[in-house]
Amino acid sequence: MKIWPLLLKAPKYLGLWMLADIAYVFFLSFFIDAIIPLSFSKFVFVHFLAIGVGAMVMFTGLGAGILWIPVLTFLEIRPSEAVAISIFTQIAGKGTGSLTYLFNGMVDVKTAVAFIPMALVGVTLGFLFSFYMRGYEQFLLYIFVFIASYLLIRTIQSLRSLTPAIKAPQVIPPPVIYAGSYPVVILSSFFTGLLSIGNSDWLIPHMALKLKMPISRAVATSLLIMFVTILFYLVLTCLGVWQGYASWPHGTYLLFATCSGVIVGGQIGTRLIRISWFERYQKHTFIVLLGASIIHLLC
């Protein structure tokens, strides 16, 4: 099976994204370690890591916070500040990737429209509650591990769902099913605002098990919901800084390396799902990455 032609064909312009990324890195190299407090070797390491994270997030639907929080704490960023950096990074990658899914007709638009208002309520509650959690960094990590472990078990359970991975439009569930899903959407978005754990980590298993949605469609739909949610989180952060209730997190210089990387990674991830072998092991990849993040934090 020829993989590269499948990665490079429509949606087009992956090559342009890569060329733009190379030009960006070349241009930024003149400012690294001079104006931007970041060594070139560290920039390259974080940048390529961001490409990998962006690809896996858009391919599996795994919330990037699950992957970024362990990495950022390893880079000596405090957990409370790592949350904001993680979410700001996700805006770039999930924005390009989720819009690609939307334009290719893979998103269940009616489900997304029904869930997004509840997601905005949840992320607002999580953002406000985070002000009371400052100074409890270790406790935040414990909550993070607990929630990630729950998601891991939930995803393993969803492996028993044998729904076919087809991209044709499915029968839309009646509104009463949407209403029954609202608590899941609000709770998952609450932890997005508190810990940057993506609500997509909850919504993908929920959509597969409860709404009987094919996994590829569940990934595309939940990522669009997640993108709108984190975009709203950025608005809340800007309002908090403007009103003097919050300050910009330490370590935001890493965004120079992460944002451009996840954009390219996001474009790669949306193409991986079109390859049958990768699509077959989409859930398994989700489980492996989630388990590895939990083990890293425990160690």
Side-chain angles (χ1 to χ4, degrees):
M1 177 177 61
K2 296 180 180 181
I3 292 180
W4 285 110
L6 289 171
L7 290 177
L8 294 172
K9 72 176 186 178
K12 299 178 288 185
Y13 312 128
L14 177 59
L16 287 178
W17 282 111
M18 290 182 170
L19 288 175
D21 185 62
I22 293 172
Y24 169 80
V25 172
F26 176 76
F27 174 77
L28 208 66
S29 64
F30 294 100
F31 302 95
I32 291 175
D33 211 16
I35 299 176
I36 303 172
L38 189 66
S39 66
F40 185 75
S41 59
K42 190 174 183 180
F43 171 86
V44 170
F45 169 73
V46 176
H47 183 71
F48 278 99
L49 185 64
I51 293 176
V53 170
M56 288 299 98
V57 167
M58 295 310 300
F59 169 56
T60 65
L62 180 70
I66 291 288
L67 301 178
W68 276 122
I69 294 297
V71 171
L72 291 171
T73 52
F74 173 76
L75 296 173
E76 299 181 347
I77 303 296
R78 293 171 54 193
S80 58
E81 296 177 326
V83 169
I85 296 174
S86 170
I87 289 181
F88 294 162
T89 299
Q90 293 177 57
I91 291 174
K94 289 189 176 176
T96 57
S98 61
L99 291 178
T100 299
Y101 280 143
L102 179 64
F103 295 149
N104 281 275
M106 296 177 65
V107 175
D108 190 322
V109 177
K110 288 188 177 180
T111 301
V113 170
F115 284 179
I116 284 174
M118 299 299 107
L120 300 185
V121 171
V123 75
T124 302
L125 294 174
F127 175 79
L128 295 175
F129 190 74
S130 66
F131 289 106
Y132 298 98
M133 296 299 295
R134 292 175 181 173
Y136 298 94
E137 308 293 339
Q138 200 65 33
F139 186 60
L140 278 175
L141 287 180
Y142 290 150
I143 298 176
F144 185 94
V145 170
F146 176 78
I147 298 300
S149 300
Y150 167 79
L151 294 173
L152 178 61
I153 296 171
R154 185 71 171 166
T155 307
I156 292 173
Q157 290 175 335
S158 73
L159 286 175
R160 292 178 297 181
S161 174
L162 300 178
T163 1
I166 56 177
K167 300 177 179 62
Q170 304 297 304
V171 176
I172 303 300
V176 65
I177 294 182
Y178 290 153
S181 301
Y182 288 163
V184 177
V185 180
I186 293 174
L187 182 63
S188 61
S189 302
F190 172 83
F191 286 110
T192 298
L194 180 65
L195 297 168
S196 90
I197 295 179
N199 50 17
S200 58
D201 298 345
W202 304 62
L203 296 180
I204 291 171
H206 177 79
M207 289 177 180
L209 288 171
K210 301 299 183 183
L211 303 185
K212 307 302 180 185
M213 190 179 292
I215 187 64
S216 58
R217 198 166 182 81
V219 168
T221 304
S222 63
L223 286 175
L224 180 64
I225 296 170
M226 178 64 182
F227 171 61
V228 177
T229 303
I230 58 180
L231 200 61
F232 188 69
Y233 179 93
L234 175 61
V235 173
L236 292 175
T237 301
C238 292
L239 289 174
V241 172
W242 180 46
Q243 294 295 324
Y245 295 115
S247 57
W248 289 111
H250 169 72
T252 49
Y253 54 84
L254 290 174
L255 295 175
F256 287 103
T258 59
C259 287
S260 57
V262 295
I263 289 175
V264 176
Q267 292 299 312
I268 294 173
T270 56
R271 288 159 174 81
L272 288 178
I273 201 171
R274 300 202 310 271
I275 302 173
S276 58
W277 187 89
F278 283 103
E279 187 177 22
R280 192 180 311 125
Y281 294 102
Q282 194 177 31
K283 283 188 181 181
H284 301 81
T285 307
F286 185 106
I287 290 170
V288 169
L289 292 174
L290 190 54
S293 297
I294 294 171
I295 292 171
H296 172 78
L297 286 176
L298 289 176
C299 295

